[in-house]
Short mmCIF file of all heavy atoms in Angstrom, two decimals:
data_model
loop_
_atom_site.label_atom_id
_atom_site.label_comp_id
_atom_site.label_asym_id
_atom_site.label_seq_id
_atom_site.Cartn_x
_atom_site.Cartn_y
_atom_site.Cartn_z
N MET A 1 127.62 109.27 76.23
CA MET A 1 126.76 108.18 76.64
C MET A 1 127.55 106.88 76.47
O MET A 1 128.10 106.62 75.42
CB MET A 1 125.50 108.19 75.77
CG MET A 1 124.55 107.12 76.12
SD MET A 1 123.01 107.01 75.15
CE MET A 1 122.65 108.62 74.62
N ASN A 2 127.58 106.07 77.51
CA ASN A 2 128.33 104.82 77.42
C ASN A 2 127.52 103.74 76.71
O ASN A 2 126.33 103.89 76.45
CB ASN A 2 128.81 104.36 78.79
CG ASN A 2 127.67 104.07 79.73
OD1 ASN A 2 126.53 103.99 79.33
ND2 ASN A 2 127.97 103.91 81.00
N ARG A 3 128.19 102.64 76.40
CA ARG A 3 127.55 101.58 75.62
C ARG A 3 126.41 100.91 76.36
O ARG A 3 125.41 100.52 75.75
CB ARG A 3 128.59 100.54 75.22
CG ARG A 3 129.53 101.02 74.16
CD ARG A 3 130.42 99.93 73.67
NE ARG A 3 131.09 99.25 74.78
CZ ARG A 3 131.75 98.12 74.67
NH1 ARG A 3 131.84 97.53 73.51
NH2 ARG A 3 132.34 97.58 75.71
N THR A 4 126.52 100.78 77.66
CA THR A 4 125.47 100.13 78.44
C THR A 4 124.18 100.93 78.37
O THR A 4 123.10 100.38 78.12
CB THR A 4 125.90 99.97 79.90
OG1 THR A 4 127.09 99.18 79.95
CG2 THR A 4 124.82 99.31 80.73
N LEU A 5 124.28 102.23 78.57
CA LEU A 5 123.10 103.09 78.52
C LEU A 5 122.51 103.12 77.11
O LEU A 5 121.29 103.06 76.93
CB LEU A 5 123.46 104.50 78.99
CG LEU A 5 122.32 105.49 79.11
CD1 LEU A 5 121.28 104.99 80.09
CD2 LEU A 5 122.85 106.84 79.53
N TYR A 6 123.38 103.20 76.12
CA TYR A 6 122.91 103.24 74.73
C TYR A 6 122.17 101.95 74.36
O TYR A 6 121.08 102.00 73.78
CB TYR A 6 124.10 103.46 73.78
CG TYR A 6 123.71 103.53 72.34
CD1 TYR A 6 123.07 104.66 71.83
CD2 TYR A 6 123.97 102.47 71.48
CE1 TYR A 6 122.70 104.72 70.50
CE2 TYR A 6 123.61 102.52 70.16
CZ TYR A 6 122.98 103.65 69.66
OH TYR A 6 122.62 103.70 68.35
N SER A 7 122.72 100.80 74.72
CA SER A 7 122.06 99.54 74.39
C SER A 7 120.78 99.36 75.20
O SER A 7 119.80 98.79 74.70
CB SER A 7 123.00 98.36 74.58
OG SER A 7 123.49 98.32 75.88
N MET A 8 120.75 99.88 76.42
CA MET A 8 119.53 99.81 77.22
C MET A 8 118.42 100.63 76.58
O MET A 8 117.27 100.18 76.48
CB MET A 8 119.82 100.31 78.63
CG MET A 8 118.68 100.11 79.59
SD MET A 8 119.12 100.54 81.27
CE MET A 8 118.47 102.18 81.38
N ILE A 9 118.74 101.83 76.11
CA ILE A 9 117.75 102.68 75.46
C ILE A 9 117.26 102.04 74.16
O ILE A 9 116.06 102.06 73.86
CB ILE A 9 118.34 104.09 75.22
CG1 ILE A 9 118.51 104.81 76.55
CG2 ILE A 9 117.45 104.90 74.29
CD1 ILE A 9 119.28 106.10 76.46
N CYS A 10 118.17 101.44 73.40
CA CYS A 10 117.78 100.77 72.16
C CYS A 10 116.85 99.60 72.44
O CYS A 10 115.84 99.40 71.74
CB CYS A 10 119.01 100.30 71.40
SG CYS A 10 119.95 101.64 70.66
N MET A 11 117.15 98.81 73.46
CA MET A 11 116.29 97.68 73.79
C MET A 11 114.91 98.15 74.26
O MET A 11 113.90 97.52 73.95
CB MET A 11 116.94 96.81 74.87
CG MET A 11 117.99 95.86 74.35
SD MET A 11 117.41 94.80 73.01
CE MET A 11 116.06 93.94 73.77
N MET A 12 114.87 99.24 75.01
CA MET A 12 113.58 99.77 75.46
C MET A 12 112.75 100.25 74.26
O MET A 12 111.53 100.07 74.24
CB MET A 12 113.78 100.87 76.47
CG MET A 12 114.30 100.36 77.80
SD MET A 12 114.63 101.67 78.95
CE MET A 12 113.40 101.32 80.17
N ALA A 13 113.40 100.83 73.26
CA ALA A 13 112.69 101.26 72.05
C ALA A 13 112.17 100.06 71.27
O ALA A 13 111.02 100.07 70.78
CB ALA A 13 113.61 102.10 71.18
N ILE A 14 112.97 99.00 71.16
CA ILE A 14 112.52 97.80 70.47
C ILE A 14 111.34 97.17 71.19
O ILE A 14 110.36 96.74 70.56
CB ILE A 14 113.70 96.80 70.33
CG1 ILE A 14 114.73 97.35 69.34
CG2 ILE A 14 113.20 95.42 69.90
CD1 ILE A 14 116.03 96.58 69.32
N ILE A 15 111.40 97.14 72.51
CA ILE A 15 110.30 96.57 73.30
C ILE A 15 109.04 97.42 73.13
O ILE A 15 107.93 96.88 73.07
CB ILE A 15 110.71 96.42 74.77
CG1 ILE A 15 111.75 95.31 74.89
CG2 ILE A 15 109.51 96.12 75.65
CD1 ILE A 15 112.40 95.22 76.24
N ALA A 16 109.20 98.74 73.03
CA ALA A 16 108.04 99.61 72.80
C ALA A 16 107.39 99.30 71.45
O ALA A 16 106.15 99.27 71.33
CB ALA A 16 108.46 101.08 72.87
N LEU A 17 108.19 99.04 70.43
CA LEU A 17 107.64 98.68 69.12
C LEU A 17 106.92 97.33 69.18
O LEU A 17 105.84 97.16 68.60
CB LEU A 17 108.74 98.65 68.07
CG LEU A 17 109.30 100.01 67.68
CD1 LEU A 17 110.47 99.84 66.72
CD2 LEU A 17 108.23 100.88 67.07
N VAL A 18 107.50 96.37 69.88
CA VAL A 18 106.86 95.06 70.03
C VAL A 18 105.55 95.21 70.80
O VAL A 18 104.54 94.58 70.46
CB VAL A 18 107.82 94.06 70.72
CG1 VAL A 18 107.10 92.78 71.10
CG2 VAL A 18 109.00 93.77 69.82
N ALA A 19 105.54 96.05 71.82
CA ALA A 19 104.31 96.28 72.59
C ALA A 19 103.25 96.94 71.71
O ALA A 19 102.06 96.62 71.83
CB ALA A 19 104.62 97.16 73.80
N LEU A 20 103.66 97.83 70.83
CA LEU A 20 102.71 98.45 69.90
C LEU A 20 102.10 97.40 68.98
O LEU A 20 100.89 97.41 68.73
CB LEU A 20 103.41 99.54 69.09
CG LEU A 20 102.56 100.28 68.08
CD1 LEU A 20 101.51 101.11 68.79
CD2 LEU A 20 103.43 101.16 67.21
N LEU A 21 102.93 96.50 68.49
CA LEU A 21 102.41 95.42 67.64
C LEU A 21 101.44 94.52 68.40
O LEU A 21 100.37 94.17 67.88
CB LEU A 21 103.57 94.59 67.08
CG LEU A 21 104.44 95.28 66.04
CD1 LEU A 21 105.64 94.41 65.71
CD2 LEU A 21 103.64 95.58 64.81
N TRP A 22 101.79 94.16 69.64
CA TRP A 22 100.89 93.32 70.42
C TRP A 22 99.62 94.07 70.80
O TRP A 22 98.55 93.47 70.91
CB TRP A 22 101.59 92.79 71.67
CG TRP A 22 102.35 91.54 71.37
CD1 TRP A 22 103.69 91.42 71.18
CD2 TRP A 22 101.80 90.25 71.17
NE1 TRP A 22 104.00 90.12 70.89
CE2 TRP A 22 102.86 89.37 70.88
CE3 TRP A 22 100.51 89.73 71.22
CZ2 TRP A 22 102.67 88.03 70.64
CZ3 TRP A 22 100.33 88.38 70.98
CH2 TRP A 22 101.39 87.56 70.69
N GLY A 23 99.73 95.38 71.02
CA GLY A 23 98.52 96.17 71.26
C GLY A 23 97.61 96.16 70.05
O GLY A 23 96.38 96.09 70.17
N THR A 24 98.19 96.21 68.86
CA THR A 24 97.40 96.14 67.63
C THR A 24 96.72 94.78 67.51
O THR A 24 95.54 94.70 67.13
CB THR A 24 98.31 96.38 66.41
OG1 THR A 24 98.98 97.62 66.58
CG2 THR A 24 97.52 96.42 65.13
N VAL A 25 97.44 93.72 67.85
CA VAL A 25 96.84 92.39 67.83
C VAL A 25 95.69 92.32 68.83
O VAL A 25 94.62 91.78 68.52
CB VAL A 25 97.91 91.31 68.14
CG1 VAL A 25 97.27 89.95 68.40
CG2 VAL A 25 98.91 91.23 67.01
N GLY A 26 95.88 92.88 70.02
CA GLY A 26 94.81 92.90 71.01
C GLY A 26 93.61 93.69 70.53
O GLY A 26 92.46 93.32 70.80
N TYR A 27 93.84 94.76 69.80
CA TYR A 27 92.75 95.58 69.27
C TYR A 27 91.97 94.82 68.20
O TYR A 27 90.75 94.84 68.17
CB TYR A 27 93.31 96.88 68.68
CG TYR A 27 92.27 97.79 68.09
CD1 TYR A 27 91.52 98.61 68.91
CD2 TYR A 27 92.04 97.82 66.72
CE1 TYR A 27 90.55 99.45 68.38
CE2 TYR A 27 91.08 98.64 66.18
CZ TYR A 27 90.35 99.46 67.01
OH TYR A 27 89.40 100.28 66.49
N VAL A 28 92.69 94.12 67.33
CA VAL A 28 92.04 93.43 66.22
C VAL A 28 91.21 92.24 66.71
O VAL A 28 90.09 92.02 66.24
CB VAL A 28 93.10 92.96 65.19
CG1 VAL A 28 92.50 92.00 64.18
CG2 VAL A 28 93.71 94.16 64.50
N TYR A 29 91.72 91.50 67.67
CA TYR A 29 91.05 90.28 68.10
C TYR A 29 90.11 90.46 69.29
O TYR A 29 89.56 89.48 69.77
CB TYR A 29 92.07 89.19 68.42
CG TYR A 29 92.72 88.65 67.16
CD1 TYR A 29 94.05 88.92 66.88
CD2 TYR A 29 91.99 87.91 66.26
CE1 TYR A 29 94.64 88.44 65.73
CE2 TYR A 29 92.56 87.43 65.10
CZ TYR A 29 93.89 87.69 64.84
OH TYR A 29 94.47 87.22 63.70
N ALA A 30 89.90 91.67 69.75
CA ALA A 30 89.00 91.89 70.89
C ALA A 30 87.55 91.86 70.41
O ALA A 30 87.21 92.47 69.39
CB ALA A 30 89.30 93.22 71.55
N ASP A 31 86.72 91.15 71.14
CA ASP A 31 85.31 91.10 70.79
C ASP A 31 84.58 92.33 71.32
O ASP A 31 83.79 92.94 70.62
CB ASP A 31 84.67 89.84 71.37
CG ASP A 31 85.19 88.58 70.70
OD1 ASP A 31 85.58 88.66 69.51
OD2 ASP A 31 85.23 87.53 71.37
N THR A 32 84.85 92.68 72.56
CA THR A 32 84.25 93.87 73.15
C THR A 32 85.36 94.76 73.71
O THR A 32 86.41 94.27 74.14
CB THR A 32 83.30 93.50 74.30
OG1 THR A 32 84.03 92.78 75.28
CG2 THR A 32 82.15 92.64 73.79
N HIS A 33 85.17 96.04 73.69
CA HIS A 33 86.12 97.03 74.20
C HIS A 33 87.52 96.85 73.60
O HIS A 33 88.47 96.54 74.32
CB HIS A 33 86.21 96.98 75.73
CG HIS A 33 84.89 97.10 76.41
ND1 HIS A 33 84.13 98.26 76.37
CD2 HIS A 33 84.17 96.21 77.13
CE1 HIS A 33 83.01 98.08 77.04
NE2 HIS A 33 83.01 96.84 77.51
N PRO A 34 87.66 97.07 72.31
CA PRO A 34 88.97 96.83 71.67
C PRO A 34 90.08 97.76 72.16
O PRO A 34 91.23 97.33 72.28
CB PRO A 34 88.70 97.03 70.18
CG PRO A 34 87.45 97.81 70.10
CD PRO A 34 86.66 97.50 71.33
N LEU A 35 89.76 99.01 72.48
CA LEU A 35 90.81 99.91 72.96
C LEU A 35 91.31 99.50 74.33
O LEU A 35 92.51 99.59 74.63
CB LEU A 35 90.31 101.35 72.99
CG LEU A 35 90.14 102.02 71.63
CD1 LEU A 35 89.56 103.41 71.80
CD2 LEU A 35 91.45 102.07 70.89
N ARG A 36 90.42 99.05 75.18
CA ARG A 36 90.81 98.60 76.51
C ARG A 36 91.70 97.36 76.40
O ARG A 36 92.70 97.22 77.09
CB ARG A 36 89.58 98.29 77.35
CG ARG A 36 89.92 97.97 78.79
CD ARG A 36 88.71 97.61 79.61
NE ARG A 36 87.67 98.62 79.50
CZ ARG A 36 86.41 98.42 79.88
NH1 ARG A 36 86.05 97.26 80.39
NH2 ARG A 36 85.52 99.36 79.75
N ARG A 37 91.33 96.45 75.51
CA ARG A 37 92.11 95.22 75.31
C ARG A 37 93.48 95.55 74.72
O ARG A 37 94.50 95.01 75.13
CB ARG A 37 91.36 94.26 74.40
CG ARG A 37 92.10 93.00 74.06
CD ARG A 37 92.44 92.15 75.26
NE ARG A 37 91.26 91.79 75.99
CZ ARG A 37 91.28 91.14 77.15
NH1 ARG A 37 92.41 90.77 77.67
NH2 ARG A 37 90.18 90.86 77.78
N ALA A 38 93.53 96.50 73.78
CA ALA A 38 94.81 96.90 73.17
C ALA A 38 95.72 97.52 74.22
O ALA A 38 96.92 97.23 74.27
CB ALA A 38 94.56 97.87 72.03
N ALA A 39 95.17 98.39 75.07
CA ALA A 39 95.97 99.02 76.12
C ALA A 39 96.46 97.98 77.13
O ALA A 39 97.60 98.05 77.59
CB ALA A 39 95.16 100.10 76.81
N PHE A 40 95.61 97.02 77.45
CA PHE A 40 95.99 95.99 78.42
C PHE A 40 97.10 95.09 77.87
O PHE A 40 98.11 94.87 78.54
CB PHE A 40 94.76 95.14 78.77
CG PHE A 40 95.04 94.05 79.75
CD1 PHE A 40 95.23 94.35 81.10
CD2 PHE A 40 95.14 92.74 79.34
CE1 PHE A 40 95.50 93.34 82.01
CE2 PHE A 40 95.41 91.73 80.23
CZ PHE A 40 95.59 92.03 81.57
N VAL A 41 96.94 94.62 76.64
CA VAL A 41 97.94 93.72 76.06
C VAL A 41 99.24 94.46 75.78
O VAL A 41 100.33 94.03 76.17
CB VAL A 41 97.39 93.07 74.76
CG1 VAL A 41 98.47 92.29 74.05
CG2 VAL A 41 96.20 92.17 75.08
N GLY A 42 99.15 95.60 75.11
CA GLY A 42 100.35 96.37 74.80
C GLY A 42 101.05 96.89 76.05
O GLY A 42 102.28 96.83 76.16
N GLY A 43 100.28 97.36 77.02
CA GLY A 43 100.87 97.85 78.27
C GLY A 43 101.53 96.74 79.06
O GLY A 43 102.58 96.93 79.67
N GLY A 44 100.91 95.56 79.05
CA GLY A 44 101.51 94.42 79.75
C GLY A 44 102.84 94.02 79.15
O GLY A 44 103.82 93.79 79.87
N VAL A 45 102.89 93.97 77.82
CA VAL A 45 104.15 93.63 77.15
C VAL A 45 105.20 94.69 77.43
O VAL A 45 106.37 94.39 77.70
CB VAL A 45 103.91 93.46 75.63
CG1 VAL A 45 105.22 93.35 74.88
CG2 VAL A 45 103.05 92.24 75.35
N LEU A 46 104.80 95.96 77.38
CA LEU A 46 105.73 97.06 77.62
C LEU A 46 106.29 97.03 79.04
O LEU A 46 107.50 97.14 79.25
CB LEU A 46 105.03 98.40 77.36
CG LEU A 46 105.89 99.64 77.43
CD1 LEU A 46 106.84 99.66 76.25
CD2 LEU A 46 105.02 100.87 77.42
N ILE A 47 105.44 96.85 80.02
CA ILE A 47 105.87 96.84 81.42
C ILE A 47 106.81 95.66 81.70
O ILE A 47 107.88 95.84 82.29
CB ILE A 47 104.65 96.81 82.36
CG1 ILE A 47 103.94 98.16 82.32
CG2 ILE A 47 105.05 96.47 83.78
CD1 ILE A 47 102.60 98.17 83.00
N VAL A 48 106.44 94.48 81.23
CA VAL A 48 107.28 93.31 81.47
C VAL A 48 108.63 93.46 80.77
O VAL A 48 109.68 93.18 81.35
CB VAL A 48 106.56 92.02 81.02
CG1 VAL A 48 107.50 90.84 81.00
CG2 VAL A 48 105.37 91.74 81.92
N GLY A 49 108.61 93.93 79.54
CA GLY A 49 109.86 94.10 78.80
C GLY A 49 110.78 95.11 79.44
O GLY A 49 111.99 94.88 79.58
N TRP A 50 110.23 96.27 79.81
CA TRP A 50 111.06 97.31 80.42
C TRP A 50 111.59 96.87 81.78
O TRP A 50 112.71 97.20 82.15
CB TRP A 50 110.31 98.61 80.52
CG TRP A 50 110.25 99.36 79.22
CD1 TRP A 50 110.56 98.88 77.98
CD2 TRP A 50 109.85 100.70 79.03
NE1 TRP A 50 110.38 99.85 77.04
CE2 TRP A 50 109.95 100.98 77.65
CE3 TRP A 50 109.41 101.70 79.88
CZ2 TRP A 50 109.63 102.21 77.11
CZ3 TRP A 50 109.10 102.94 79.34
CH2 TRP A 50 109.20 103.19 77.97
N LEU A 51 110.79 96.12 82.54
CA LEU A 51 111.27 95.61 83.82
C LEU A 51 112.44 94.64 83.62
O LEU A 51 113.41 94.68 84.38
CB LEU A 51 110.14 94.91 84.59
CG LEU A 51 109.16 95.83 85.30
CD1 LEU A 51 108.03 95.01 85.92
CD2 LEU A 51 109.85 96.67 86.35
N LEU A 52 112.34 93.79 82.59
CA LEU A 52 113.45 92.88 82.30
C LEU A 52 114.72 93.64 81.93
O LEU A 52 115.81 93.29 82.36
CB LEU A 52 113.06 91.92 81.18
CG LEU A 52 112.08 90.82 81.55
CD1 LEU A 52 111.67 90.04 80.31
CD2 LEU A 52 112.68 89.90 82.58
N VAL A 53 114.58 94.70 81.13
CA VAL A 53 115.74 95.50 80.75
C VAL A 53 116.34 96.19 81.98
O VAL A 53 117.57 96.20 82.15
CB VAL A 53 115.35 96.55 79.67
CG1 VAL A 53 116.47 97.55 79.46
CG2 VAL A 53 115.04 95.86 78.36
N LEU A 54 115.50 96.73 82.84
CA LEU A 54 116.01 97.41 84.04
C LEU A 54 116.68 96.43 85.00
O LEU A 54 117.71 96.76 85.60
CB LEU A 54 114.88 98.16 84.73
CG LEU A 54 114.34 99.37 83.96
CD1 LEU A 54 113.14 99.97 84.67
CD2 LEU A 54 115.43 100.42 83.76
N VAL A 55 116.12 95.23 85.14
CA VAL A 55 116.75 94.22 85.99
C VAL A 55 118.10 93.80 85.42
O VAL A 55 119.09 93.69 86.16
CB VAL A 55 115.81 92.99 86.17
CG1 VAL A 55 116.54 91.81 86.75
CG2 VAL A 55 114.63 93.36 87.04
N ALA A 56 118.16 93.60 84.12
CA ALA A 56 119.43 93.23 83.48
C ALA A 56 120.47 94.33 83.66
O ALA A 56 121.65 94.06 83.92
CB ALA A 56 119.21 92.93 82.01
N ALA A 57 120.05 95.60 83.51
CA ALA A 57 120.99 96.72 83.69
C ALA A 57 121.45 96.79 85.14
O ALA A 57 122.63 97.03 85.42
CB ALA A 57 120.34 98.02 83.28
N GLY A 58 120.55 96.55 86.09
CA GLY A 58 120.93 96.55 87.50
C GLY A 58 121.92 95.45 87.83
O GLY A 58 122.88 95.66 88.58
N ILE A 59 121.71 94.27 87.26
CA ILE A 59 122.64 93.17 87.48
C ILE A 59 124.00 93.50 86.90
O ILE A 59 125.04 93.26 87.52
CB ILE A 59 122.08 91.86 86.89
CG1 ILE A 59 120.88 91.39 87.71
CG2 ILE A 59 123.14 90.77 86.82
CD1 ILE A 59 120.12 90.25 87.09
N LYS A 60 124.01 94.08 85.70
CA LYS A 60 125.28 94.42 85.07
C LYS A 60 126.03 95.47 85.88
O LYS A 60 127.24 95.36 86.11
CB LYS A 60 125.07 94.94 83.65
CG LYS A 60 126.37 95.29 82.98
CD LYS A 60 126.20 95.63 81.54
CE LYS A 60 127.59 95.91 80.97
NZ LYS A 60 127.57 96.10 79.56
N ILE A 61 125.33 96.49 86.36
CA ILE A 61 125.97 97.54 87.15
C ILE A 61 126.51 96.98 88.45
O ILE A 61 127.62 97.31 88.87
CB ILE A 61 124.98 98.70 87.38
CG1 ILE A 61 124.75 99.45 86.06
CG2 ILE A 61 125.48 99.65 88.45
CD1 ILE A 61 123.64 100.46 86.12
N SER A 62 125.75 96.11 89.11
CA SER A 62 126.23 95.53 90.37
C SER A 62 127.45 94.65 90.14
O SER A 62 128.38 94.65 90.96
CB SER A 62 125.12 94.76 91.07
OG SER A 62 124.78 93.61 90.34
N ARG A 63 127.48 93.91 89.04
CA ARG A 63 128.66 93.09 88.73
C ARG A 63 129.87 93.96 88.42
O ARG A 63 130.99 93.64 88.82
CB ARG A 63 128.36 92.17 87.56
CG ARG A 63 127.37 91.08 87.93
CD ARG A 63 127.10 90.15 86.79
NE ARG A 63 128.30 89.34 86.58
CZ ARG A 63 128.58 88.73 85.45
NH1 ARG A 63 127.77 88.84 84.42
NH2 ARG A 63 129.66 88.00 85.33
N LEU A 64 129.67 95.07 87.71
CA LEU A 64 130.77 95.98 87.43
C LEU A 64 131.32 96.61 88.71
O LEU A 64 132.53 96.73 88.88
CB LEU A 64 130.34 97.08 86.46
CG LEU A 64 130.15 96.67 85.01
CD1 LEU A 64 129.54 97.81 84.21
CD2 LEU A 64 131.47 96.25 84.40
N LYS A 65 130.42 96.99 89.62
CA LYS A 65 130.87 97.57 90.89
C LYS A 65 131.64 96.54 91.71
O LYS A 65 132.65 96.87 92.33
CB LYS A 65 129.67 98.08 91.69
CG LYS A 65 129.14 99.39 91.18
CD LYS A 65 127.99 99.87 92.06
CE LYS A 65 127.45 101.19 91.57
NZ LYS A 65 126.36 101.68 92.42
N ALA A 66 131.17 95.29 91.71
CA ALA A 66 131.87 94.24 92.46
C ALA A 66 133.25 93.99 91.87
O ALA A 66 134.22 93.82 92.60
CB ALA A 66 131.04 92.95 92.46
N ARG A 67 133.35 93.98 90.55
CA ARG A 67 134.64 93.77 89.92
C ARG A 67 135.58 94.94 90.21
O ARG A 67 136.77 94.75 90.46
CB ARG A 67 134.47 93.63 88.41
CG ARG A 67 135.75 93.19 87.75
CD ARG A 67 135.66 92.98 86.27
NE ARG A 67 134.34 92.78 85.72
CZ ARG A 67 134.02 93.06 84.46
NH1 ARG A 67 134.93 93.55 83.65
NH2 ARG A 67 132.82 92.85 84.01
N ARG A 68 135.05 96.15 90.22
CA ARG A 68 135.87 97.32 90.53
C ARG A 68 136.34 97.29 91.97
O ARG A 68 137.49 97.59 92.28
CB ARG A 68 135.07 98.60 90.27
CG ARG A 68 135.91 99.85 90.30
CD ARG A 68 135.13 101.07 89.88
NE ARG A 68 134.67 100.92 88.50
CZ ARG A 68 133.49 101.33 88.08
NH1 ARG A 68 132.62 101.87 88.92
NH2 ARG A 68 133.13 101.18 86.82
N ARG A 69 135.46 96.89 92.91
CA ARG A 69 135.84 96.76 94.30
C ARG A 69 136.93 95.72 94.48
O ARG A 69 137.88 95.91 95.23
CB ARG A 69 134.63 96.39 95.16
CG ARG A 69 134.08 97.52 95.96
CD ARG A 69 132.98 97.07 96.90
NE ARG A 69 131.70 97.26 96.24
CZ ARG A 69 130.84 96.29 95.94
NH1 ARG A 69 131.10 95.06 96.26
NH2 ARG A 69 129.71 96.55 95.35
N GLU A 70 136.78 94.61 93.78
CA GLU A 70 137.75 93.52 93.87
C GLU A 70 139.10 93.96 93.34
O GLU A 70 140.14 93.67 93.94
CB GLU A 70 137.24 92.31 93.09
CG GLU A 70 138.13 91.10 93.19
CD GLU A 70 137.54 89.94 92.41
OE1 GLU A 70 136.34 89.68 92.58
OE2 GLU A 70 138.30 89.33 91.63
N SER A 71 139.13 94.68 92.24
CA SER A 71 140.41 95.12 91.68
C SER A 71 141.03 96.20 92.54
O SER A 71 142.27 96.29 92.65
CB SER A 71 140.24 95.63 90.24
OG SER A 71 139.50 96.83 90.23
N ASN A 72 140.23 97.03 93.19
CA ASN A 72 140.79 98.05 94.09
C ASN A 72 141.35 97.43 95.34
O ASN A 72 142.35 97.89 95.87
CB ASN A 72 139.72 99.08 94.44
CG ASN A 72 139.42 100.03 93.31
OD1 ASN A 72 140.19 100.12 92.35
ND2 ASN A 72 138.29 100.70 93.38
N SER A 73 140.74 96.37 95.85
CA SER A 73 141.24 95.74 97.06
C SER A 73 142.52 94.94 96.78
O SER A 73 143.35 94.78 97.67
CB SER A 73 140.17 94.83 97.67
OG SER A 73 139.91 93.74 96.83
N ASP A 74 142.70 94.44 95.60
CA ASP A 74 143.91 93.70 95.25
C ASP A 74 145.12 94.62 95.15
O ASP A 74 146.23 94.22 95.49
CB ASP A 74 143.74 92.97 93.91
CG ASP A 74 142.80 91.80 94.02
OD1 ASP A 74 142.52 91.38 95.16
OD2 ASP A 74 142.35 91.32 92.97
N SER A 75 144.92 95.85 94.73
CA SER A 75 146.05 96.76 94.57
C SER A 75 146.51 97.38 95.89
O SER A 75 147.59 97.95 95.96
CB SER A 75 145.68 97.87 93.58
OG SER A 75 144.62 98.66 94.11
N ASP A 76 145.71 97.26 96.93
CA ASP A 76 146.10 97.84 98.24
C ASP A 76 147.09 96.99 99.00
O ASP A 76 147.42 95.95 98.87
CB ASP A 76 144.86 98.05 99.13
CG ASP A 76 144.01 99.19 98.61
OD1 ASP A 76 144.53 100.00 97.82
OD2 ASP A 76 142.83 99.23 98.97
#
């Protein structure tokens, strides 16, 4: 497993823990339907966080491919 994939998985795990904490906050402070509020708050944090990690990984991969293309074209 390369470093990019390993750090991406670690960040996704950290975001899942943060989402769990925010879900707990949503559960505690909900006046009505605490489970629904916890799922909404925690799920929202989880989805946004994972999307940010995936976008960052996509940008990094595209930059690596561009750099590889550039170095291959220079050697020809």
Side-chain angles (χ1 to χ4, degrees):
M1 180 180 331
N2 62 13
R3 288 187 308 168
T4 301
L5 185 60
Y6 181 74
S7 57
M8 187 173 98
I9 290 171
C10 289
M11 280 306 301
M12 290 176 114
I14 290 170
I15 290 170
L17 289 175
V18 170
L20 180 67
L21 290 173
W22 274 102
T24 305
V25 169
Y27 179 81
V28 169
Y29 288 110
D31 293 331
T32 58
H33 306 294
L35 288 177
R36 187 183 308 165
R37 176 61 58 186
F40 180 75
V41 172
V45 170
L46 186 70
I47 289 170
V48 169
W50 282 13
L51 282 175
L52 287 174
V53 169
L54 292 175
V55 166
I59 290 171
K60 180 173 182 173
I61 289 171
S62 67
R63 290 182 71 202
L64 286 172
K65 283 183 180 181
R67 189 178 341 155
R68 191 173 298 142
R69 256 186 266 118
E70 184 179 312
S71 68
N72 285 345
S73 66
D74 288 345
S75 64
D76 289 342

